[in-house]
Every structure is written in structure tokens, then in C-alpha cells.
């Protein structure tokens, strides 16, 4: 238990038709909230950091906090580096003790994406015990979501997806299927479920080999989440919602207690709100009780 491999965790989730939440954090308060939520829900969980907060707090500091919290938790917890476009920094985080690394070379031409992704896969596998995630197609920001989902060329092509996974040896695959980062501007964002289903069938039809990742979890309607799990989604990334939760809960607390100068109480308010948001996600993903 505690410090875990994402690949094994997500193979289990795919087989069991549930998904694992991957929650982006920037601070100790959020790290603690993720682990506390996982313990309370008896759910496997992935903590992830994007590159900027990882550099700001430093990877060795993140890893030290992660290991301390995870080793005391009776549930499996991973530490994942999200959307890293720098090969060298992927290696730095693998060396520091991240358990999963996402190399995001999806903006580069196909062959270069393969080359960089394979370099990180080989590096992480040689170190042992580190899973890797790669991306094909464009997971846009919401500003571009409509444009991207209507442009076939920016979605992951199923045949190319298989080639990408086979030539890189990737552990987890994030195909662009029309989900987006940020807050969706429409109630019904256009998500290509059948595209994910086809990729899932081609990759995992004869036994789960490469679990699939859904980016842009924030704001997806619950019925979309259910359908995405049914067609193979096993890791859901949630970032924007936790940023809003942290900032709104902090702002609300300070506004209501303007004369009080007790940072510890602000931390408690922010952590409570974050833990509640994460537990709600775990319920939607059906991961409670799966640890
Ligand atoms: Zn993402």
C-alpha cells in the first residue's frame, strides 16, 4: 500500500469499471486534503503537480511530503508529474522520486513525439517502478475547445494511437477526445466518446495493457463521466476545480473573518473545502472502497 505504481492501480480500475482521480496540487494543504479524502473514502488516488508548482516548491520537497503522507496512508497513493514538455525536467522528477511522469510532446510532429516519449519511457523503466504517460492530439484550453473538437485532425487518431503506444512502450495513454482544460463554457461540451471507445478496444480489447487517461475533468457533467468510464477512461485529471476551491474558500474565510489574523484557521477552511471537492469526485468516479 501507500507508495504505488499508477499502471497497476489503473489496470485494476479499468477492469473494475471505475476510475481513479488525479488531483493537481500546488500546496501542502491540498496534498493533505487529497490523502485525507482517499483515506476517508478508502480510494486509490493520484496526486499530481504541473511543472510550475513542481519547480516552485522543488521536486525533492514534493517527494518528501508525498512519501511522508503516503507511507502513513492505508491506501495506494501516486505522485505524478503532469504535462511536462521538457525531457530534462521529466528525468529530474523521476530521479527525485515521482512515481509517474507525463511527457507531453503532443504539440510536436508525430515522429518527434514518439522519440521524446520513448526516451522518457526508457529512462523511467530503467530506473524501475515509474509509470509513464504520453499524449496524442490536442487537449486544448476551453478557449479552443469548440475549434478543436470540430477539427478531426486535432483529436487522437485511433490507428496512430496504437502505433504511438507500441513504438514508445508507454504505460498510460492520454488521447485527445475533445475534453479541455479550464471551465467549459457550454453545458454540453462536445466529447468524442466513440473515439475513446475505439482506442480502448484496439489497445485493451484482448486484456488491459494500457489504461486510458481523460484530461480536463473539471466541469464534465456526471453522465459524461459515467460514459467515459464505460468506454475505458480510468484516470481523470482534475485541476481547475481545485484551484477555484482553494481560492474561493480562502477568500470567503478571510471576508467573513476580516479582523482575525490566524492563518491556521484559513488553512483549515481551505483544506475542508478541498477535501469535500475531492470526495465528491471520488464518488463520481466510483473509486470509494476500491483501495
Ligand atoms: Zn491535462
Amino acid at each position: 500500500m501507500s507508495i504505488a505504481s499508477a499502471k497497476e492501480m489503473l489496470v485494476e480500475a479499468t477492469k473494475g469499471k471505475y476510475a481513479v482521480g488525479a488531483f493537481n496540487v500546488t500546496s501542502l494543504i491540498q496534498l493533505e486534503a487529497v490523502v485525507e479524502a482517499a483515506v476517508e473514502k478508502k480510494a486509490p488516488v493520484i496526486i499530481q503537480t504541473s511543472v510550475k508548482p513542481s519547480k516552485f516548491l522543488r521536486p525533492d520537497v514534493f517527494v518528501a511530503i508525498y512519501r511522508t503522507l503516503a507511507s502513513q496512508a492505508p491506501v495506494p497513493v501516486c505522485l505524478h508529474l503532469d504535462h511536462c514538455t521538457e525531457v530534462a525536467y521529466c528525468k529530474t522528477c523521476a530521479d527525485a522520486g515521482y512515481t509517474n511522469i507525463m511527457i507531453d510532446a503532443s504539440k510536436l510532429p508525430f515522429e518527434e513525439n514518439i522519440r521524446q516519449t520513448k526516451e522518457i519511457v526508457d529512462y523511467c523503466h530503467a530506473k524501475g517502478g515509474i509509470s509513464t504517460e504520453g499524449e496524442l492530439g490536442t487537449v486544448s484550453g476551453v478557449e479552443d475547445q469548440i475549434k478543436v473538437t470540430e477539427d478531426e485532425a486535432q483529436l487522437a487518431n485511433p490507428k496512430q494511437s496504437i502505433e504511438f503506444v507500441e513504438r514508445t512502450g508507454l504505460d498510460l495513454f492520454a488521447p485527445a477526445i475533445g475534453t479541455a482544460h479550464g471551465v467549459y463554457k457550454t453545458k454540453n461540451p462536445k466529447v468524442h466518446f466513440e473515439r475513446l471507445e475505439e482506442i480502448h478496444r484496439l489497445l485493451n480489447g484482448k486484456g488491459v495493457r494500457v489504461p486510458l487517461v481523460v484530461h480536463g475533468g473539471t466541469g464534465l457533467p456526471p453522465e459524461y463521466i459515467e460514459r467515459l468510464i464505460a468506454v475505458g477512461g480510468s484516470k481523470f485529471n482534475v485541476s481547475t476545480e481545485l484551484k477555484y476551491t482553494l481560492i474561493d474558500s480562502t477568500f470567503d474565510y478571510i471576508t467573513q473573518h476580516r479582523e482575525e489574523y490566524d492563518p491556521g484557521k484559513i488553512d483549515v477552511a481551505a483544506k475542508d473545502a478541498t477535501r469535500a471537492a475531492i470526495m465528491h469526485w471520488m464518488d463520481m468516479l466510483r473509486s470509494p472502497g476500491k483501495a
Side-chain angles (χ1 to χ4, degrees), residues 140-147 179-186 218:
S140 64
V142 277
E143 324 68 68
D144 297 320
Q145 201 246 345
I146 308 251
K147 199 170 75 203
T179 56
H181 299 128
V183 177
Y184 294 101
K185 289 184 176 123
T186 152
T218 298

Side-chain angles (χ1 to χ4, degrees), residues 114-166:
I114 288 183
R115 196 193 65 72
Q116 289 195 10
T117 302
K118 186 171 185 332
E119 183 175 340
I120 293 307
V121 170
D122 291 347
Y123 188 84
C124 289
H125 289 180
K127 287 190 76 75
I130 304 176
S131 309
T132 52
E133 179 179 328
E135 178 176 313
L136 196 60
T138 306
V139 178
S140 64
V142 277
E143 324 68 68
D144 297 320
Q145 201 246 345
I146 308 251
K147 199 170 75 203
V148 165
T149 52
E150 282 168 4
D151 180 0
E152 283 282 305
Q154 301 202 52
L155 299 172
N157 170 295
K159 268 197 192 129
Q160 264 194 342
S161 298
I162 309 312
E163 186 185 346
F164 181 66
V165 167
E166 274 169 5

